[in-house]
Amino acid sequence: MARQKALQLYRNIGIIAHIDAGKTTTTERILYYTGKKHQIIDVHDTKEGKGSTTTDYLEQERKRGITIQSAAVSTEWKGYQINLIDTPGHVDFTIEVNRSLRVLDGAVVVFDGVAGVEPQTETNWRLADQYNVPRLCYVNKMDRIGANFEHCVKGIRERLGANVLLCQVPLGSHDEFIGMVDLVAGVGYLWQGHDKDSLWETVPLEEIPARVSFSTAADQAWIADLPKLREETLERALSMNDAAFEKLIETGEFDMDTLKACIRKGCVSGKLVPVFCGSSYRNKGVQQLLDAVVDYLPYPGENGGIALVDENGHVVGEQGVVDEAPARVLAFKVINDPFGTLTFCRIYSGVIKKGDNLLNVTRGKKERIGRIVEVQANATREIDEARAGDICAFVSLKETETGDSLCDPAHPALLERMRFPDPVISVSVEPKHRNDVDKMSAALYKMVKADPSLRLEVDKETGETVLKGMGELHLEVTIDRMRTELGVDANMGKPKVSFREAFGRPVQHTYTHKKQSGGSGQFAEVTMVFEPLDTGGGIVFSDEVVGGRIPREYIPAVEHAVTVESREGQVAGYEVVDFKARLIDGKFHDVDSSALAFEIATKQCFREAQRLSKPKLLEPVMRLEVVTEPDYLGDVIGDINRRRGTVSDQGQRGAQAFVQGFVPLAEMFGYINFLRSATRGRGTFTMEFDHYEEVPASLVDKLMEKEAK
């Protein structure tokens, strides 16, 4: 079957932002205005049991009024197919944004018009930079008290380093927000009401000062500056085309199609970031945002394809987005559906039909494509084929996990994987009923397979099942979803911090392993130097043996032993990180030496060397931001200091005050209870992992006692 719609008419986009900036509300309005649904459900209504928004359909999302997992929907606008993913804003679920951005061609970054640039927005922006995703900015909630468009744009410029291109500016704010000026078209849009079907009047730019007037000087200033603002927008956009720019400077004339082409060129290349504004809740500006999506964001492949890599992750080529090529697919998400596992995939090249066989290159296993579905949040529609540029889901794949590459068996290739953060918090998990141990283990395995930011381990000493994740809410939601999706109840223990260990100083150590007790003996001697590396340095092994002092065939056993032994340190049994292990000398025996003997010798050498190095215990330090009323700021800062934290910044955002700082995770359990009490329920906070830092020697024993309880 031939392609039904040209690739240029596709847009694969994501809605990303900090929690509570209005992503899901914006998505609901997009689905309404594109005719995909005929009723709007507001997020605050879901907590009252009045239904669920299209993309927040999980029970846990309805109860909390937040997005927990990214959800995909498809719709049409003016002949363009828009595949849209609504992503979470909570830091515990950054993994969802990560894997979505990996496969998207563009993103709409939503900002709260009052709060401006918030911590999770910065995190998501860095992820978009990492995956080279072009962006539009949408300053939402211009109808709220304290909304400040100028403050928000300044934050986008200064905190995100974006080369902002103002395409719209608001007309009024708070109760006086009545529309916006389109600096590209040179007109204003004045809404006639707040209703979802309200119409707007299009007013020429020169008539706006006579038509509108606002009570605040800041809102009135935008009106006075409109000619200058439009001139700046035209000049900065047309600078992408030398001939058009010269024509503008010399004659003051320009062609509208050329202007839009220049903005598109700047946006797709990342040189310009167009900025729009509106109020999704009050139904203003969403249609204009949709126009911007089709006008300025790229179609699949316009911004390049996906990197092809070797087994070590080194780039060896690029796969463009074309139908006429071997099938190459990236699995970016796995979810547990009652009717079978759904594996979400982005098709980068080729055509895939029901019944095709693909090779999972990552795992060396074959997969048969039984059913292909187009996903509409929690509903699916069966389709016969998927083509380059499509985002779809395969049903009941047995071997495929997040990040795996699926390819035509005759043309195998590895696609660039996603990079996932390490978990920083863990809990013990046990079944509610003794007979459900096996059911719980199988359910936990499914949850971990679906979410790469989870880890599952069994404590060797206690036999406890340990689940590791990105935060308390992340783990709590995982256990709750296990109950609702897989029918398995489990009890969650007290959260514990994922500490790390490190070498305190460089150490050279020799260990000789001898065993002579009947039969063939064992002999191996290794001399190694262990050196601490900077944070994030990883584990580096260096073979510096010369003169055949250790035969080549035993070196891999030494390297393997270092990797294995680093998983359990000598301070408190935590993983040892950021060191270089240099094998500089050793001895062997012609008869008694073996790979096993060298592995045993290396492990003992590692243990003793770490103890001799005055090892350090490292703890995760979180970046914290608290937003509250100014009256409570002193109490919040005092509490941060009591928790061994440091304050890095504080100030005002509209009527609210904020404080930013760094606090050890071990001191942050139950922080929400303090904040509610200290601010009478008016304070909110966000927290994300920033770095590992050495625990003061005087606190090591105290922290370990606390963790053991």
Side-chain angles (χ1 to χ4, degrees):
M1 188 169 72
R3 177 180 279 282
Q4 299 296 298
K5 187 170 287 197
L7 196 62
Q8 286 77 8
L9 297 178
Y10 279 77
R11 298 291 182 272
N12 293 324
I13 66 165
I15 308 283
I16 63 174
H18 187 88
I19 191 169
D20 205 30
K23 296 177 300 302
T24 302
T25 300
T26 302
T27 303
E28 279 288 291
R29 295 324 187 260
I30 286 173
L31 294 176
Y32 178 77
Y33 290 123
T34 56
K36 201 68 183 181
K37 63 183 299 188
H38 305 291
Q39 180 189 10
I40 291 174
I41 301 288
D42 287 316
V43 174
H44 53 73
D45 288 340
T46 66
K47 298 180 191 176
E48 298 160 16
K50 296 180 185 173
S52 70
T53 61
T54 303
T55 52
D56 284 0
Y57 57 84
L58 292 179
E59 178 186 315
Q60 294 76 14
E61 293 175 318
R62 293 199 302 271
K63 282 195 300 191
R64 292 173 170 84
I66 62 170
T67 303
I68 286 169
Q69 71 167 13
S70 54
V73 289
S74 295
T75 190
E76 281 202 14
W77 179 253
K78 297 183 177 178
Y80 287 81
Q81 169 90 14
I82 297 177
N83 298 321
L84 184 150
I85 296 183
D86 177 27
T87 65
H90 197 287
V91 65
D92 283 15
F93 308 106
T94 301
I95 179 73
E96 293 288 339
V97 187
N98 187 332
R99 54 186 173 187
S100 297
L101 284 173
R102 175 80 216 94
V103 298
L104 292 171
D105 301 301
V108 175
V109 188
V110 181
F111 296 84
D112 182 327
V114 178
V117 177
E118 298 176 271
Q120 192 60 18
T121 316
E122 293 186 60
T123 301
N124 294 341
W125 194 274
R126 287 196 298 271
L127 283 171
D129 282 341
Q130 182 179 313
Y131 293 129
N132 193 28
V133 178
R135 278 143 275 177
L136 303 177
C137 292
Y138 174 59
V139 180
N140 190 24
K141 301 192 178 186
M142 285 306 303
D143 60 306
R144 278 186 64 203
I145 297 175
N148 188 328
F149 185 71
E150 185 178 12
H151 162 73
C152 196
V153 170
K154 184 181 178 187
I156 296 170
R157 278 199 182 103
E158 295 178 0
R159 292 179 63 179
L160 303 179
N163 188 11
V164 166
L165 180 75
L166 286 183
C167 292
Q168 289 180 353
V169 294
L171 289 172
S173 62
H174 186 212
D175 290 341
E176 294 184 322
F177 179 60
I178 55 171
M180 68 282 298
V181 172
D182 186 331
L183 296 174
V184 177
V187 296
Y189 305 120
L190 303 180
W191 262 260
Q192 295 165 5
H194 297 317
D195 186 71
K196 62 182 185 291
D197 296 315
S198 287
L199 301 175
W200 62 86
E201 182 186 355
T202 302
V203 180
L205 196 67
E206 58 274 10
E207 293 180 19
I208 289 174
R211 290 285 303 272
V212 300
S213 178
F214 303 110
S215 59
T216 65
D219 289 341
Q220 204 60 35
W222 286 108
I223 307 302
D225 286 343
L226 285 177
K228 178 185 165 192
L229 290 169
R230 186 168 198 234
E231 187 181 334
E232 285 177 5
T233 296
L234 295 177
E235 287 181 2
R236 299 189 64 217
L238 291 170
S239 67
M240 304 300 296
N241 180 320
D242 290 343
F245 182 72
E246 285 175 18
K247 181 181 177 183
L248 178 74
I249 297 300
E250 290 170 8
T251 67
E253 297 175 358
F254 65 92
D255 175 69
M256 184 57 73
D257 290 339
T258 303
L259 174 60
K260 286 191 172 182
C262 286
I263 298 173
R264 180 182 185 82
K265 180 182 177 183
C267 181
V268 171
S269 65
K271 292 177 181 175
L272 296 175
V273 179
V275 175
F276 301 84
C277 62
S279 167
S280 298
Y281 182 64
R282 298 289 181 192
N283 308 298
K284 293 182 176 71
V286 176
Q287 295 99 318
Q288 286 75 14
L289 180 64
L290 279 165
D291 287 340
V293 165
V294 300
D295 284 343
Y296 305 135
L297 287 179
Y299 59 81
E302 187 179 0
N303 196 33
I306 188 170
L308 302 177
V309 298
D310 60 20
E311 290 179 358
N312 298 316
H314 300 129
V315 177
V316 293
E318 182 179 273
Q319 176 60 59
V321 182
V322 285
D323 289 349
E324 300 77 22
R328 284 172 180 166
V329 178
L330 184 68
F332 69 93
K333 180 174 177 171
V334 178
I335 65 171
N336 302 302
D337 189 85
F339 307 106
T341 304
L342 282 181
T343 306
F344 284 74
C345 293
R346 162 71 190 261
I347 318 297
Y348 278 95
S349 63
V351 180
I352 297 164
K353 299 179 180 178
K354 286 196 290 188
D356 283 357
N357 288 306
L358 296 179
L359 174 67
N360 183 326
V361 184
T362 311
R363 303 183 189 282
K365 301 282 181 74
K366 284 203 172 175
E367 292 274 25
R368 186 175 183 278
I369 307 302
R371 290 172 57 214
I372 309 173
V373 295
E374 181 187 84
V375 179
Q376 290 293 115
N378 61 336
T380 59
R381 181 176 72 85
E382 199 151 332
I383 55 177
D384 294 324
E385 66 174 28
R387 290 175 170 267
D390 284 346
I391 290 176
C392 62
F394 299 143
V395 181
S396 299
L397 296 189
K398 292 181 172 58
E399 305 289 345
T400 304
E401 297 183 15
T402 300
D404 288 358
S405 301
L406 296 166
C407 295
D408 179 341
H411 302 88
L414 269 176
L415 308 182
E416 186 181 24
R417 287 183 67 89
M418 292 158 266
R419 293 178 282 280
F420 301 123
D422 289 328
V424 295
I425 192 170
S426 64
V427 291
S428 60
V429 185
E430 60 182 23
K432 279 202 171 167
H433 309 290
R434 242 180 235 177
N435 299 333
D436 289 347
V437 173
D438 291 341
K439 277 174 69 179
M440 185 194 78
S441 298
L444 281 171
Y445 172 72
K446 282 187 177 180
M447 298 306 292
V448 171
K449 185 179 177 184
D451 185 347
S453 61
L454 289 170
R455 302 275 194 285
L456 193 60
E457 294 175 3
V458 176
D459 191 296
K460 292 176 188 170
E461 293 181 10
T462 63
E464 280 183 327
T465 301
V466 177
L467 184 67
K468 296 183 174 183
M470 302 309 297
E472 287 180 89
L473 181 62
H474 185 205
L475 296 172
E476 186 184 312
V477 166
T478 298
I479 299 300
D480 200 25
R481 286 182 65 186
M482 206 164 72
R483 172 184 62 79
T484 56
E485 294 172 24
L486 303 173
V488 178
D489 274 338
N491 292 322
M492 191 169 87
K494 180 173 162 270
K496 294 188 175 182
V497 178
S498 289
F499 290 92
R500 297 283 188 269
E501 296 183 24
F503 284 84
R505 59 185 175 84
V507 169
Q508 179 173 321
H509 190 60
T510 301
Y511 185 86
T512 306
H513 172 64
K514 287 183 187 176
K515 185 183 175 187
Q516 301 287 333
S517 54
S520 60
Q522 289 184 4
F523 177 85
E525 181 177 295
V526 291
T527 299
M528 301 190 71
V529 176
F530 295 91
E531 301 168 344
L533 297 177
D534 292 336
T535 302
I539 298 173
V540 179
F541 177 78
S542 173
D543 170 21
E544 299 176 16
V545 175
V546 293
R549 303 279 291 175
I550 299 177
R552 292 289 97 199
E553 62 264 28
Y554 299 143
I555 303 298
V558 174
E559 184 174 2
H560 175 70
V562 168
T563 304
V564 170
E565 204 56 33
S566 69
R567 293 172 191 156
E568 199 169 307
Q570 301 303 301
V571 178
Y574 292 101
E575 184 183 350
V576 185
V577 295
D578 301 332
F579 67 88
K580 182 175 184 178
R582 297 167 50 213
L583 177 62
I584 59 172
D585 202 0
K587 294 177 184 174
F588 75 102
H589 188 277
D590 288 334
V591 177
D592 293 345
S593 287
S594 64
L596 177 62
F598 272 94
E599 192 170 325
I600 294 169
T602 304
K603 286 182 176 181
Q604 287 296 341
C605 183
F606 183 99
R607 291 171 194 159
E608 293 181 5
Q610 197 205 349
R611 278 196 290 266
L612 290 169
S613 77
K614 297 183 179 176
K616 300 184 291 190
L617 185 70
L618 307 177
E619 63 181 343
V621 174
M622 314 301 282
R623 182 190 291 132
L624 174 73
E625 175 169 286
V626 181
V627 178
T628 184
E629 292 183 1
D631 294 350
Y632 307 119
L633 204 59
D635 291 341
V636 170
I637 291 172
D639 181 72
I640 289 173
N641 292 329
R642 281 192 293 277
R643 293 174 189 267
R644 298 192 286 124
T646 56
V647 173
S648 59
D649 192 15
Q650 64 184 85
Q652 290 278 129
R653 286 195 195 127
Q656 298 286 83
F658 73 89
V659 58
Q660 296 173 342
F662 299 92
V663 189
L665 176 61
E667 306 291 343
M668 290 301 291
F669 292 129
Y671 182 68
I672 187 64
N673 297 325
F674 156 79
L675 194 62
R676 281 178 184 149
S677 171
T679 65
R680 298 185 184 179
R682 294 181 182 129
T684 60
F685 81 100
T686 53
M687 183 172 74
E688 66 176 313
F689 170 73
D690 190 82
H691 65 281
Y692 273 94
E693 201 169 274
E694 183 180 357
V695 175
S698 58
L699 290 176
V700 172
D701 292 340
K702 182 181 168 187
L703 277 177
M704 291 302 99
E705 277 175 32
K706 191 173 166 187
E707 285 293 302
K709 287 179 183 174

